[in-house]
Amino acid sequence: MTERKSDKPAVIIAVALLAIILIGEVIVYTSDYTDYSAEAGLEGDSLGYQVSADGSKTYSVVVNDNGTYDGMDRLYIYFDESYPANYEDVDVSIGAQALDQRYYLEQVVNLLKPRNFHDITYVDAEQLADALAGDLASDGCGTAGLLVISGVLPDTVYTGNADDTIFQWLSGGGSLYWLGNLIGECYATTDGLQHVDGYQELFFGAECLNTEGVDTAYSEVDGNDYTHALALQSNSVKYAVDGDRVPDDRAHLSIGFTEGGYSSITLVQYGSGMVCVLGGDYSNYQRNDLVQIISSGLGPQSSIVSVETGTVTNGTVSGRIEGVTGSSLSAFIYLGGYYPVYNKLFWL
Amino acid sequence: MESCGHIAGRLTDTCLRHPIATVVVVALVVRIVLMPLLTYDYDIYHWGVIIQNLQSGNGLYDVSGYYYTPTWGYILGFISAAIDAIGAVDVFGIRFTDLFPIEGLDFDFHTATTTTVAFNVAMKVPLVIVDIIVALLLRWLIIDVTGSERKGLAGMVLWLFCPTVIYMSGIQAQFDSISALMMLLTVILVYRDRCFLGGMMFGAAVLLKFFPGFAILVMVAYIVVRHRDDGTAVRRVLEAAVGAALMCAVLFLPQILDGTFEYTLGFIFGRMDMQSDNGWYVVVAQYALIAIGLLGMVFAGIRMYRSDAADADRNYFTNLLLAMGCAMFISATPQYMMVMLPLLILVMMSSEGRLRICWILITFGSFIGAFANNNIMLLDSASEFLGLVTPEWIVSVAEGIESHTLFGITPVLLVNSLGSIIEYVGFVILVLLCFDEALRAKLPRISEALSKIKRWDVD
């Protein structure tokens, strides 16, 4: 009978491994975006900025001239299960929860937190009508955004007429973020969907939506560098806008990826406000782009003044960008590149 | 000045004098060469997303990206803190437009969001370390069981140079070597009567990937058999149960508190849902395979329970292998077999039936299955960040492979299926060998055929 070897090595490894797992658990549930911070301010035409991080992170400072668009700082999210939705079910990764409207929106809210966008209100169909009417009455449309991912607006704000509440609110400066289906093609009543004729003209003044079945883009949009500057990811152009077909009297900004003239993201001016359409059925890439667009404060007249990137490692990095001029300037700072962990927007 | 011959001679002498160090060094060199060059894009992209989510203040299940039970997420949390402390990885990955076409391939578990070489290495280093630890522990156990240093060394080699083990830690960055480590630790701790710690490890292992759960009845039966005569069996089993329950409670606590517990089992049920998309006959087949796993678990447990105390140790390992071998029928996903590989090697080294053919079939089948799925896309990262080849070339090769189909079946699916079949044959032989005595009495021809393929003596 051979003498038994000591099992101390196994015990030590077991205890160490369990300790690693438990320490990891604490790290997972105590880590926060407050490990990061950013500041920016304009002195004359010189932008000073400061970025801090625990750990090593790439950062980007994107300075925009937004024309007449002043951005918004509060967001309504439309969600009403008593009204029908009109979006396609999508495949998700193995083990992932079905990416339905509720789960998508929950994640949007969770993702907007580290992007320093906190003023978020869920509204059902009735509350939406009240909220938009309230904005119109208080002249507060210009500070408000509305996110609709159900693929259809409720009849409380949209019935296919040019004088519907949604259009008054947009004209007054509201920002509508839309995805999930062709914008305005139908409106929802509690009984079902109602088709609208001429819906594209209502929203854009021309037929410009992708109804052709072109789904996937393989090229980046030319003419601006927002695709890289904002680390945009979704390359689906289903339901998307062809910006070139939008009438000249409406400013538009096409960004992301393009196929057949359609862009994965298009922001189109509507009166003092705008309509932002993200192409494609629900996807994680699309959701990432959505929160990036909302938190960046981009508008249909936005253009890049300057982009500066760098790395901050366990400390603070300061920098200065000269020659920053424009009519409605903003500095959008984010950390993590294509894996953003922290965003902050500064109106200058 | 020494000639090359002298240097080679001295090197050979050194290697022969220090075989363990030599095996470890060669295994490390192989992995270090592969780590920056070849990477499977899809899994490691998700490791980046999970770290992104937790760093931005979201738990494991608040935002899409993490689909397993929580243990791997916590290990990633630890790794992310280590990466932060070192400050070595500022960019996790970049989405490359020129790789978009790979997302539309028939096997669509690919992404154009390509992780950087630094991130790839950071994710793989812990897994390579685990490979080495498993090898050393396996050697320790084999020597403890057989008394043979040479068999211990052979066991190390069979683990460290198994192509699938190299592939999963050095290339795919899949964490099944951690699963193998936790399974092996559980086996050792129970074997050495450290029931509470063994229970804790078992709880954590099952919440990493669920396969170790199929060993539960054998382990309980082993404890009972060992302590049948001294009257402490119930106490020992309770110790293990408390350890496992405590670990599960601690690991699930955050999800119970934040209301995301229902998401933690998504991967298991997600697999079933995916199969249901393929037709009723696939669902029936899937349930039949699960039944094999469950029957194997119960049967191996009963066999263990009926063992004599004198044979308890030997039967413990063979019945564990039987239970895990049957569990492997549930899915021939290449990396899953790693959890039972140390057991297979241990029984190979310690039993009359050497099981060499099983090791060959299972490792070869799983490796070609994994390699077929990912093929040329393994060069994505080296292409974009090292300029090794052009992305256009990768895309053209990938599309070229897919353009040649046989009865509508792509080469990728064909080779992958072939790999799965080879792997399954290995599992079937493994299970049959566990019934050697019964076969010899009732089906002598099959027994005779098996005896021809099981001869192998490392000594």
Side-chain angles (χ1 to χ4, degrees):
Chain A
M1 178 94 185
T2 51
E3 193 182 333
R4 287 196 124 184
K5 293 165 73 107
S6 164
D7 65 352
K8 261 187 189 167
V11 172
I12 291 168
I13 292 166
V15 171
L17 185 56
L18 291 176
I20 284 172
I21 293 167
L22 295 178
I23 292 168
E25 181 175 2
V26 173
I27 290 167
V28 167
Y29 285 95
T30 55
S31 296
D32 199 4
Y33 61 91
T34 52
D35 294 340
Y36 313 101
S37 67
E39 292 300 331
L42 194 62
E43 293 171 21
D45 63 353
S46 174
L47 176 81
Y49 67 85
Q50 199 173 63
V51 183
S52 302
D54 287 346
S56 188
K57 282 279 169 274
T58 183
Y59 68 83
S60 299
V61 182
V62 185
V63 184
N64 302 302
D65 179 346
N66 300 295
T68 59
Y69 185 71
D70 290 329
M72 53 93 189
D73 52 22
R74 56 198 173 90
L75 183 70
Y76 305 121
I77 294 179
Y78 167 66
F79 180 62
D80 192 336
E81 288 182 312
S82 66
Y83 276 74
N86 190 26
Y87 63 89
E88 299 279 328
D89 291 332
V90 293
D91 287 336
V92 293
S93 298
I94 299 163
Q97 194 189 352
L99 194 52
D100 58 14
Q101 191 184 181
R102 177 188 290 273
Y103 187 42
Y104 194 115
L105 291 174
E106 282 174 12
Q107 294 185 75
V108 167
V109 173
N110 288 333
L111 287 170
L112 282 173
K113 270 187 289 183
R115 285 163 176 81
N116 281 287
F117 198 104
H118 301 288
D119 192 346
I120 300 166
T121 311
Y122 277 102
V123 287
D124 62 23
E126 294 301 329
Q127 290 167 330
L128 175 62
D130 292 343
L132 300 195
D135 285 344
L136 284 164
S138 64
D139 203 17
C141 305
T143 60
L146 166 63
L147 172 60
V148 180
I149 72 162
S150 59
V152 61
L153 281 160
D155 60 358
T156 54
V157 298
Y158 174 63
T159 58
N161 295 303
D163 58 355
D164 282 335
T165 307
I166 189 71
F167 297 118
Q168 295 177 41
W169 181 78
L170 285 169
S171 293
S175 301
L176 171 61
Y177 298 90
W178 175 277
L179 59 92
N181 213 321
L182 293 165
I183 184 169
E185 184 189 25
C186 300
Y187 66 88
T189 68
T190 49
D191 298 327
L193 300 177
Q194 307 295 323
H195 186 267
V196 174
D197 292 326
Y199 62 96
Q200 297 192 42
E201 285 83 353
L202 281 171
F203 279 89
F204 305 106
E207 293 213 351
C208 57
L209 290 178
N210 180 4
T211 56
E212 299 169 22
V214 182
D215 283 358
T216 309
Y218 294 96
S219 308
E220 293 160 22
V221 169
D222 279 336
N224 64 67
D225 198 31
Y226 276 117
T227 307
H228 288 288
L230 297 181
L232 299 177
Q233 302 188 22
S234 172
N235 63 327
S236 179
V237 293
K238 199 174 175 185
Y239 322 124
V241 175
D242 179 351
D244 289 343
R245 283 156 46 190
V246 172
D248 291 340
D249 61 344
R250 299 187 188 205
H252 78 273
L253 176 66
S254 297
I255 57 177
F257 302 93
T258 182
E259 193 70 30
Y262 304 106
S263 304
S264 56
I265 303 169
T266 309
L267 301 90
V268 181
Q269 181 188 357
Y270 191 107
S272 302
M274 70 147 181
V275 178
C276 173
V277 175
L278 289 94
D281 293 315
Y282 292 1
S283 77
N284 294 336
Y285 293 136
Q286 179 197 54
R287 190 188 55 242
N288 208 68
D289 287 355
L290 172 68
V291 293
Q292 198 78 337
I293 294 298
I294 290 173
S295 60
S296 68
L298 232 54
Q301 297 167 26
S302 296
S303 61
I304 293 177
V305 175
S306 178
V307 178
E308 194 155 302
T309 58
T311 297
V312 53
T313 303
N314 286 320
T316 302
V317 168
S318 300
R320 193 157 280 284
I321 301 172
E322 305 294 340
V324 176
T325 57
S327 46
S328 177
L329 290 166
S330 65
F332 176 60
I333 300 177
Y334 69 100
L335 279 75
Y338 284 83
Y339 294 79
V341 293
Y342 176 88
N343 297 6
K344 197 164 183 183
L345 175 66
F346 301 90
W347 289 96
L348 305 172
Chain B
M1 186 136 176
E2 274 187 304
S3 68
C4 289
H6 276 112
I7 294 171
R10 280 177 48 172
L11 195 63
T12 307
D13 284 348
T14 308
C15 291
L16 290 173
R17 274 203 305 274
H18 305 287
I20 299 166
T22 304
V23 167
V24 169
V25 168
V26 175
L28 280 174
V29 168
V30 169
R31 286 160 172 80
I32 288 167
V33 169
L34 289 172
M35 280 196 296
L37 294 180
L38 301 177
T39 299
Y40 173 44
D41 51 69
Y42 194 73
D43 289 348
I44 204 164
Y45 154 75
H46 281 89
W47 306 160
V49 170
I50 295 159
I51 293 175
Q52 172 200 6
N53 289 343
L54 71 92
Q55 287 184 340
S56 60
N58 287 300
L60 291 179
Y61 304 98
D62 293 335
V63 180
S64 288
Y66 190 72
Y67 312 126
Y68 298 101
T69 36
T71 305
W72 173 236
Y74 298 152
I75 294 172
L76 276 179
F78 187 88
I79 293 172
S80 86
I83 293 172
D84 274 355
I86 297 167
V89 185
D90 60 333
V91 181
F92 288 2
I94 293 174
R95 189 157 170 79
F96 289 102
T97 309
D98 46 18
L99 285 175
F100 279 172
I102 68 170
E103 296 182 351
L105 295 170
D106 184 62
F107 180 79
D108 59 356
F109 293 106
H110 290 291
T111 174
T113 307
T114 308
T115 46
T116 60
V117 173
F119 184 77
N120 296 341
V121 171
M123 289 296 108
K124 293 173 185 177
V125 163
L127 301 175
V128 169
I129 293 170
V130 169
D131 278 359
I132 304 297
I133 293 172
V134 170
L136 294 171
L137 269 178
L138 182 58
R139 176 181 172 273
W140 177 91
L141 183 58
I142 291 170
I143 293 172
D144 193 72
V145 171
T146 67
S148 166
E149 295 262 347
R150 194 168 178 185
K151 287 182 177 178
L153 185 66
M156 277 184 79
V157 171
L158 288 173
W159 166 260
L160 283 174
F161 295 98
C162 165
T164 308
V165 174
I166 295 172
Y167 185 91
M168 290 306 160
S169 51
I171 297 175
Q172 186 158 329
Q174 257 292 348
F175 54 90
D176 291 75
S177 56
I178 303 178
S179 216
L181 173 61
M182 296 175 97
M183 179 73 197
L184 186 58
L185 281 168
T186 308
V187 169
I188 290 172
L189 292 168
V190 172
Y191 170 59
R192 282 306 184 88
D193 218 17
R194 296 185 184 273
C195 294
F196 180 72
L197 189 57
M200 289 180 80
M201 186 55 68
F202 179 79
V206 170
L207 296 188
L208 184 68
K209 281 192 178 175
F210 68 92
F211 284 111
F214 285 87
I216 189 168
L217 294 183
V218 175
M219 289 184 177
V220 170
Y222 173 69
I223 295 170
V224 170
V225 170
R226 271 189 67 169
H227 295 283
R228 201 177 264 151
D229 296 334
D230 64 19
T232 60
V234 173
R235 204 189 83 198
R236 290 299 196 185
V237 171
L238 276 177
E239 278 177 25
V242 169
L246 183 68
M247 203 63 202
C248 290
V250 170
L251 295 180
F252 274 136
L253 187 63
Q255 292 82 42
I256 292 168
L257 292 177
D258 71 10
T260 56
F261 179 73
E262 64 178 297
Y263 304 159
T264 61
L265 303 175
F267 191 79
I268 299 166
F269 296 115
R271 284 265 156 182
M272 296 305 297
D273 283 349
M274 189 178 73
Q275 299 300 349
S276 68
D277 293 342
N278 297 327
W280 65 268
Y281 44 89
V282 177
V283 176
V284 170
Q286 184 63 49
Y287 279 111
L289 295 174
I290 291 172
I292 290 174
L294 292 172
L295 284 172
M297 177 176 78
V298 173
F299 183 78
I302 292 170
R303 245 171 60 143
M304 185 68 237
Y305 183 76
R306 288 178 178 167
S307 297
D308 291 333
D311 292 332
D313 289 352
R314 189 172 61 87
N315 287 335
Y316 175 50
F317 298 122
T318 52
N319 284 314
L320 278 174
L321 182 62
L322 173 61
M324 296 304 288
C326 290
M328 292 296 110
F329 279 84
I330 292 173
S331 173
T333 301
Q335 62 267 28
Y336 290 169
M337 69 86 182
M338 282 172 63
V339 70
M340 53 78 72
L341 192 59
L343 279 169
L344 173 61
I345 294 169
L346 171 69
V347 178
M348 273 174 76
M349 292 296 125
S350 59
S351 69
E352 293 299 318
R354 301 288 176 191
L355 302 171
R356 175 176 63 162
I357 190 71
C358 301
W359 185 91
I360 293 171
L361 291 172
I362 292 168
T363 59
F364 180 68
S366 58
F367 175 70
I368 65 167
F371 194 77
N373 280 345
N374 309 325
N375 59 78
I376 200 70
M377 272 72 73
L378 294 175
L379 286 166
D380 286 357
S381 186
S383 162
E384 297 288 3
F385 296 106
L386 301 178
L388 208 62
V389 293
T390 65
E392 292 75 20
W393 182 77
I394 290 175
V395 169
S396 69
V397 172
E399 290 178 338
I401 291 171
E402 207 156 86
S403 65
H404 298 89
T405 58
L406 186 68
F407 303 116
I409 301 171
T410 64
V412 168
L413 183 59
L414 197 66
V415 178
N416 182 264
S417 304
L418 183 67
S420 297
I421 291 166
I422 293 170
E423 212 182 330
Y424 271 125
V425 171
F427 292 133
V428 169
I429 294 173
L430 188 155
V431 171
L432 286 177
L433 284 173
C434 292
F435 294 97
D436 203 12
E437 285 178 20
L439 286 173
R440 206 175 296 153
K442 291 178 183 169
L443 296 165
R445 279 190 175 178
I446 291 179
S447 175
E448 199 178 321
L450 283 172
S451 68
K452 286 178 183 169
I453 58 174
K454 72 179 182 184
R455 288 195 198 102
W456 189 41
D457 194 337
V458 289
D459 288 325

